[in-house]
Amino acid sequence: MGRYVIRRLLQMIPVFFGTTLLIFLMVNVMGDPIAGLCGDRQCDPATAAQLRSEFGLDKPVWQQYLTYMGNLFTGDFGTAFNGQKVTELMATAFPITIRLTIVAIVFEIVIGISLGVVTGLRRGRPIDTTVLILTLVVIAIPTFVTGLLLQLLLGVKWGIIKPSVSPDPTIDELLVPGLVLASVSLAYVTRLTRASIAENARADYVRTAVAKGLPRRRVVVRHLLRNSLIPVVTFIGTDVGALMGGAIVTERIFNIHGVGYQLYQGILRQNSQTVVGFVTILVLVFLAANLIVDLLYAVLDPRIRYA
Amino acid sequence: MRDATKTSVAPGSADEATAEPAAPAAPVRDAAKPRSLLQDAVRDLVRKPLFLVSSGIILVLVVMAAFPTLFASADPQLCELGRSLQKPSADAWFGYDARGCDVYARTIHGARTSITVGVLATLGSAVIALLLGLISGFYGRWIDAVISRGIDIVMGIPFLVGAIVILNSFRDEDGFRIGGIWGVLTALTVLGWMSMARIMRSTAMQTKQSDYVTAARSLGASTGRLMFRHVLPNALTPLIVLATISLGVIISAEATLSFLGVGIQEPTISWGVMINQSLGRIRESLHPLLFPAGFVSITVLAFIMLGDAVRDALDPKLR
C-alpha cells in the first residue's frame, strides 16, 4: 500500500510539471503578459521594455518558468493585476468553490446513485424509461441554459432564491448553483450506476444472497451496490477536478466570486500569475482526486490489493 | 471488420480456383453467403427507431446548414429596431430579438457555422487521437509512456480555462479579439482529442494481440501495413462512436464559449452568437434565447442518440 502510493506520487511528478509548464507557456507565449498593464491602450515601446525587464520577461521562457516554480515552492504565488497577492485571492476564492463543489458532489452521490439503483433494478419499466429520457435531456441542454432558466424562474419570477449570491455564500445559498453545476454529471452518474447495477443484478453472488434469505434491502445495498460502485466512483473522482475548473459558467451565472471567476478575470486581463497559480492548485486537486479514487477501489473490492 | 470479411470470403474463391467441377455449388454458396459484421450492423441499424429518428434530425440539420434559404426566406442580417423583442407570430415564427432581427432566419442561418465548427473540430481531434492512440497502443513501451503522459498533461488543464486562454490570444494588430471561427476551431480541436486518444490506444493494444495480426506479422507484413491495414480497421469502432457523441458536445461547447463572451462574434451568425446576444434582455423576453438554445440541445441529443445506436449495432458483445 505504502509503496504503491509512493510509486503513484512519483508518476504524478512529470504530469504536474508538464501541466504547469503547458499552462505557463500558453499564458505567457500566446498571450502578452504586459498587455493589460497600460489600461486599454497598448504600452508605448519604452514603457513596455521597462516593464519586461522589471518582471523578468526579457529572459528566456524556460528560465521564467524555473523562477516562477522556485517562487511557488516557497509559497510566493506572485501578484494579481490589482496589486493583491495571488495567495490572498486564493484564500477567498477557494473556500467558496470548494463549498460549491461539495454541494455538487453530494447531489451527484445522493440523487445520481439512488436514481441509478432504482432504474437499474427496474429495467424496461416506465420509471426506467422516463429517467433515461430525462438524463438525455439534461445532458443535451447546455449547462448555462439550465442555469439561466433556473435563476430566472426561481430567483427572479418566483423569488424562491436570491438570483445572485452574497460575497461569502453559505451552503443553502449554493444549493441551486450546486445543482446546476452537478446537472450533467448527475445524469452521467445515473446512467453509469444503472448500467452497472443492471449488469451485476444477474450475478451469482446476488442469487446466492437472495437464496439464503437475506432481506432485499441488504442484498441491494451491501452486495449489489458495493460491487457496482467502482465505475461510478471513478467517474465522480475525476469529476471533482473538472467541477472545480468548470465552475466558470455556474459562477458567472450566479455571480459567485470563486475560482472560476478569478480565472476568467485573470485570463481576460492577461494576468499570468493569477492564471498559472490557480491552475497549479487545480492540477494538484485533480491528481490527488485520481489517487484517492485508486485507493478507494481496494476499499470497495477487497480483492484489489496494492503491493 | 475488413479482415473478418476477407477470411470468410477467401476459402470460397480458393475453392473455385482449384476445384473446377464444384462450380455448380457456387450459386448455392452465394445465396447463403454469410453477412459481414458491417452488413449485420447496417441491417440492425435501419430497424432501430433511435437510429432513424436521430439520423433524420441530423439530415435535416445538414440540409439546413447547406441550403439555409430553403427553410427561411427572411434576411438574417436585416434588423429593424421598431420590431424589437416582438413575440413569435405567423410572420416571424420565432419572433424578433432585441435588435429586431428575425430569430427564425438567424437560427436557420446559424446552423451552418455551428455544424461546420462541430464537424471540423471533431474531425481534427479524431485525427490527432487516431494517430497518437494508434502509435501509442501499437508500439507500447517508452513511446506509449511518453504519449500517455502527454495525454495526462493536456487533460490536467481544465477545458474552459484552456479554451479561454487560446481564444484570448487570437487578436489582430490593434489588440482586438478576432471573433471568427478559426479561434474556436483551434481551441476545441486542441483540447478535445484526449479521451478519444485513450480509447484508440486501449483498443489498438487489444487488437494487436489478435491471432490475425500475429499471422500477418509472421507472413512478413511491414509495420505500417500491420498498423493501418490490420489493427486500425478493427480498432476503429469505439473511436467512431465517441467522435459521434463528442460532435454534439462540441456544438454545445461552441455555444458555451459564446456565452462566456470569448467565442465567435458578429457578423458571423451561429447559435452561440445568438445566445450571447439574447443574454442582455432575458428578464424581458426569453424567446431570443430559447430558440437557438433549443436547436443546440436537439442537435446534441441527436448526436448522442446516433452514437448510442451505432455502438449497440457495432458492438456484438452488447447484443
Side-chain angles (χ1 to χ4, degrees):
Chain A
M1 180 83 175
R3 283 180 63 189
Y4 175 79
V5 174
I6 290 171
R7 209 177 72 219
R8 281 294 308 265
L9 286 174
L10 287 177
Q11 279 177 352
M12 283 179 180
I13 292 173
V15 178
F16 172 76
F17 283 106
T19 312
T20 45
L21 177 62
L22 184 59
I23 191 77
F24 190 86
L25 290 177
M26 281 168 77
V27 175
N28 283 298
V29 177
M30 298 181 61
D32 183 1
I34 59 157
L37 293 180
C38 304
D40 288 333
R41 291 172 295 108
Q42 285 200 310
C43 298
D44 63 273
T47 323
Q50 165 71 24
L51 283 170
R52 275 180 202 285
S53 70
E54 194 177 315
F55 292 116
L57 294 167
D58 46 354
K59 300 202 178 76
V61 180
W62 61 268
Q63 213 174 325
Q64 291 178 37
Y65 175 72
L66 287 184
T67 319
Y68 181 81
M69 273 292 144
N71 289 342
L72 215 87
F73 279 105
T74 55
D76 177 11
F77 278 75
T79 322
F81 57 86
N82 56 2
Q84 242 182 323
K85 285 244 178 264
V86 175
T87 39
E88 281 173 29
L89 289 182
M90 286 177 175
T92 52
F94 266 98
I96 299 174
T97 298
I98 289 172
R99 253 173 272 164
L100 184 63
T101 310
I102 290 175
V103 172
I105 296 281
V106 168
F107 272 122
E108 278 179 32
I109 293 174
V110 174
I111 303 181
I113 294 185
S114 358
L115 279 180
V117 171
V118 169
T119 52
L121 291 174
R122 291 176 183 71
R123 270 186 79 168
R125 307 266 187 83
I127 179 163
D128 177 37
T129 322
T130 317
V131 172
L132 263 190
I133 293 175
L134 268 180
T135 55
L136 269 185
V137 171
V138 170
I139 293 171
I141 301 176
T143 316
F144 67 90
V145 177
T146 327
L148 284 172
L149 290 182
L150 277 180
Q151 181 193 37
L152 202 65
L153 288 178
L154 298 176
V156 181
K157 290 249 161 75
W158 302 336
I160 301 172
I161 58 161
K162 274 187 274 179
S164 69
V165 304
S166 56
D168 191 21
T170 52
I171 292 282
D172 50 317
E173 275 180 291
L174 291 174
L175 282 181
V176 175
L179 185 62
V180 171
L181 181 62
S183 57
V184 173
S185 307
L186 186 67
Y188 279 116
V189 168
T190 306
R191 292 171 74 91
L192 261 180
T193 315
R194 172 184 174 273
S196 188
I197 288 270
E199 192 188 316
N200 286 331
R202 282 173 293 180
D204 289 340
Y205 63 81
V206 174
R207 199 182 324 149
T208 311
V210 174
K212 71 183 181 186
L214 290 182
R216 184 175 159 80
R217 198 188 154 72
R218 193 172 164 85
V219 176
V220 170
V221 175
R222 295 295 300 237
H223 294 250
L224 186 53
L225 185 59
R226 182 168 170 176
N227 280 288
S228 308
L229 273 183
I230 283 195
V232 183
V233 166
T234 314
F235 179 86
I236 294 179
T238 45
D239 208 36
V240 172
L243 286 180
M244 289 189 72
I248 292 185
V249 171
T250 316
E251 293 192 356
R252 197 168 151 84
I253 295 173
F254 294 97
N255 193 26
I256 303 168
H257 287 202
V259 174
Y261 171 83
Q262 296 293 356
L263 272 171
Y264 182 75
Q265 294 295 332
I267 298 170
L268 288 197
R269 290 168 196 241
Q270 310 227 351
N271 189 271
S272 55
Q273 310 255 3
T274 319
V275 180
V276 182
F278 273 81
V279 171
T280 305
I281 303 288
L282 287 180
V283 171
L284 284 177
V285 173
F286 176 78
L287 291 174
N290 278 338
L291 181 64
I292 293 171
V293 164
D294 270 8
L295 298 179
L296 269 182
Y297 288 167
V299 177
L300 285 170
D301 186 347
R303 283 171 302 184
I304 301 175
R305 287 264 173 274
Y306 297 118
Chain B
M1 256 150 284
R2 203 181 226 143
D3 285 82
T5 346
K6 257 189 217 150
T7 42
S8 64
V9 169
S13 46
D15 259 339
E16 280 165 18
T18 49
E20 207 62 52
V28 184
R29 277 186 62 92
D30 231 293
K33 196 171 141 194
R35 291 192 305 269
S36 75
L37 281 173
L38 189 64
Q39 284 168 316
D40 243 16
V42 171
R43 276 171 66 100
D44 219 49
L45 274 179
V46 292
R47 287 191 203 140
K48 279 215 159 167
L50 196 68
F51 173 77
L52 293 177
V53 171
S54 55
S55 50
I57 294 175
I58 291 169
L59 194 69
V60 172
L61 287 168
V62 169
V63 175
M64 199 181 277
F67 312 104
T69 40
L70 281 182
F71 293 82
S73 50
D75 181 0
Q77 305 283 19
L78 179 75
C79 306
E80 287 171 15
L81 274 176
R83 55 193 192 191
S84 166
L85 292 179
Q86 276 178 19
K87 292 260 181 271
S89 61
D91 239 12
W93 294 351
F94 293 177
Y96 293 99
D97 69 7
R99 296 175 309 158
C101 318
D102 185 333
V103 176
Y104 177 71
R106 287 176 76 80
T107 310
I108 300 293
H109 283 265
R112 179 178 292 175
T113 316
S114 295
I115 288 178
T116 312
V117 167
V119 169
L120 290 182
T122 309
L123 275 182
S125 39
V127 168
I128 300 177
L130 189 147
L131 290 176
L132 287 180
L134 189 61
I135 291 171
S136 173
F138 187 82
Y139 284 104
R141 293 164 183 270
W142 66 270
I143 297 184
D144 176 39
V146 169
I147 293 180
S148 294
R149 288 298 85 72
I151 294 174
D152 288 349
I153 287 171
V154 186
M155 269 210 157
I157 294 181
F159 175 78
L160 283 176
V161 174
I164 301 172
V165 170
I166 293 175
L167 283 166
N168 200 38
S169 71
F170 274 75
R171 286 167 186 277
D172 58 17
E173 307 88 69
D174 299 328
F176 290 108
R177 229 172 48 67
I178 303 171
I181 69 167
W182 290 108
V184 175
L185 262 183
T186 313
L188 293 175
T189 308
V190 168
L191 298 166
W193 55 274
M194 291 86 72
S195 41
M196 283 193 263
R198 276 193 180 159
I199 290 267
M200 188 68 217
R201 168 181 174 269
S202 65
T203 43
M205 263 161 92
Q206 279 168 18
T207 314
K208 110 184 149 173
Q209 280 152 8
S210 314
D211 289 339
Y212 56 80
V213 177
T214 321
R217 191 194 299 270
S218 49
L219 284 173
S222 66
T223 310
R225 190 178 167 82
L226 280 178
M227 232 160 77
F228 288 100
R229 295 299 297 254
H230 295 271
V231 174
L232 180 60
N234 289 288
L236 206 53
T237 313
L239 181 77
I240 293 174
V241 170
L242 193 62
T244 314
I245 294 174
S246 60
L247 216 162
V249 177
I250 282 179
I251 289 176
S252 175
E254 185 267 318
T256 305
L257 290 173
S258 289
F259 164 76
L260 291 173
V262 292
I264 299 171
Q265 290 171 350
E266 283 274 356
T268 315
I269 309 173
S270 82
W271 294 332
V273 171
M274 296 180 64
I275 288 168
N276 188 34
Q277 288 168 342
S278 74
L279 294 177
R281 308 283 290 269
I282 50 166
R283 295 203 176 169
E284 293 153 64
S285 63
L286 268 178
H287 64 266
L289 167 71
L290 287 185
F291 286 108
F295 269 69
V296 172
S297 309
I298 290 171
T299 313
V300 178
L301 198 60
F303 280 108
I304 294 177
M305 292 195 307
L306 182 70
D308 271 2
V310 171
R311 170 171 45 209
D312 288 352
L314 287 180
D315 194 345
K317 272 172 288 180
L318 291 174
R319 275 188 201 159

